[in-house]
Amino acid sequence: MIFITVGTHEQPFNRLLKCIDQMVEKGEINEEIVCQKGYTDYEPKNYKAEKLIPYEQMQENIEKARIVVTHGGPASFIAPLSIGKIPVVVPRKKDFNEHVNDHQLEFSREVEKRMKNIIVAETDEDIRDSIVNYNVKIKNLINKNHSNNKKFNERLIKEIEKIL
């Protein structure tokens, strides 16, 4: 199953849903698609899409999915990372009126470069390539969620102990 989430931002994200629709139509995707389309006004012809999905169902979809395709919102791509899955991240772009600026694009590129644990797909061709060749692409990536929580907590304890 492929799970797609575009978040809840009020601007539509037609580009992603159209690309997936075309892939299904061409036979490039032959598995079930579950999609949370938010405020996207495009209605897919070859798969079903729900406007909003409850949080528990989102988590269940992420767990069941072979591939998670998400917009560039950090919370959306951290969710699959937190359970060891490498998401395909399609950042919303200002040029397509998908967001107010290109912060998702810039942030996603930086995470991909530094952490090597997401696949950034900026164009339709990137989306196709990332899904069709997903298993090959993830082989060289790190499927662990890098957290500095332990290090932060240790330093915080030391600082508190100094004060006390």
Side-chain angles (χ1 to χ4, degrees):
M1 183 250 283
I2 296 174
F3 177 56
I4 302 163
T5 178
V6 302
T8 57
H9 183 69
E10 65 274 1
Q11 288 172 271
F13 201 9
N14 295 335
R15 178 172 60 96
L16 173 58
L17 273 58
K18 284 180 183 178
C19 181
I20 299 295
D21 216 10
Q22 291 169 355
M23 290 182 71
V24 174
E25 196 168 295
K26 292 177 182 177
E28 295 170 308
I29 296 176
N30 296 311
E31 60 192 291
E32 177 188 12
I33 295 173
V34 175
C35 178
Q36 177 271 318
K37 71 176 202 151
Y39 294 96
T40 297
D41 49 18
Y42 178 77
E43 289 296 333
K45 295 167 186 62
N46 299 296
Y47 61 94
K48 292 182 181 179
E50 299 288 329
K51 183 175 182 176
L52 300 172
I53 297 174
Y55 177 79
E56 294 80 19
Q57 185 63 48
M58 293 279 288
Q59 294 306 113
E60 188 176 312
N61 291 338
I62 290 167
E63 288 175 22
K64 287 181 179 178
R66 180 177 73 85
I67 301 173
V68 176
V69 180
T70 178
H71 67 115
S76 292
F77 66 75
I78 287 173
L81 285 172
S82 71
I83 60 169
K85 292 190 178 192
I86 295 173
V88 174
V89 178
V90 183
R92 291 171 172 266
K93 294 182 178 180
K94 182 181 181 195
D95 286 349
F96 295 103
N97 294 315
E98 297 164 346
H99 220 306
V100 297
N101 59 31
D102 283 331
H103 72 278
Q104 285 193 359
L105 181 62
E106 294 161 8
F107 185 71
S108 298
R109 284 177 178 166
E110 196 63 30
V111 170
E112 181 181 49
K113 179 179 150 189
R114 287 185 187 194
M115 306 305 284
K116 297 178 182 23
N117 63 356
I118 65 173
I119 299 167
V120 176
E122 297 182 28
T123 66
D124 285 3
E125 187 53 44
D126 291 343
I127 296 166
R128 283 185 178 88
D129 182 52
S130 297
I131 292 172
V132 171
N133 298 307
Y134 181 79
N135 291 337
V136 173
K137 288 185 165 289
I138 65 170
K139 285 185 179 184
N140 296 322
L141 299 178
I142 301 165
N143 67 348
K144 294 179 183 173
N145 185 19
H146 294 278
S147 174
N148 288 321
N149 290 349
K150 183 177 178 184
K151 191 179 199 179
F152 172 82
N153 289 338
E154 289 169 354
R155 285 185 180 171
L156 180 61
I157 289 169
K158 285 179 183 178
E159 291 301 317
I160 292 171
E161 288 172 348
K162 283 182 190 176
I163 294 170
L164 300 175

